[in-house]
Amino acid sequence: IHMLQVGTITPYKNQLRSLEILRELVRRGVDAYITFAGPIIDKDYYRYLIDFTHTIDKGKRVTFLGLQSHMQTKTAYHNHDLLLHPVEGQGGWLVPFEAMCAELPVVTTNSFPPSKMIATNHLGIVTDDMTQIIENGLYKRLDTTRIKSWVEANLTWDKFGEGLVAL
């Protein structure tokens, strides 16, 4: 399983949670890897993450790509099995919807602000037990073609503008 997380390397994006999930998957015998795509904003946090990677197969299952162009990120969406998105609080909205448009399954947490919209419209898997969902391959059941169509039809600048005018 090749997982991807896109976003700045900061505690707000919660890469540590992704590493904990990877470590647990590997402990359970799952052949899993994770790639982080995004600039390093918090150098102390990054060093902590690097140290943590050595608790997982000596870091061989973790890749930090750094800052990526839009085209490189798009390519990454197409070269992974799922987007892991344990982001909490503000920010991080664009990435999962971009991944959905690339037909990449999205697994996120209940604490991610648009989690209710994602769950209600069956756009991804919203759970606080990401490890089990990934281990059991439940993300493979998502109809990524339907999800892409829904996002393209419902999350447009025109719809956003109509909502602002209505307000």
Side-chain angles (χ1 to χ4, degrees), residues 153-165:
N154 292 284
L155 299 180
T156 66
W157 283 111
D158 288 339
K159 294 237 182 210
F160 179 74
E162 290 169 8
L164 283 179
V165 169

Side-chain angles (χ1 to χ4, degrees), residues 1-2 19 22 26 31-35 49-64:
I1 299 170
H2 292 274
L19 289 175
L22 175 65
V26 171
D31 188 22
Y33 301 83
I34 191 157
T35 301
L49 295 174
I50 291 296
D51 289 344
F52 192 92
T53 64
H54 295 290
T55 69
I56 311 163
D57 197 20
K58 298 180 182 164
K60 295 177 186 173
R61 295 176 177 270
V62 181
T63 303
F64 286 91

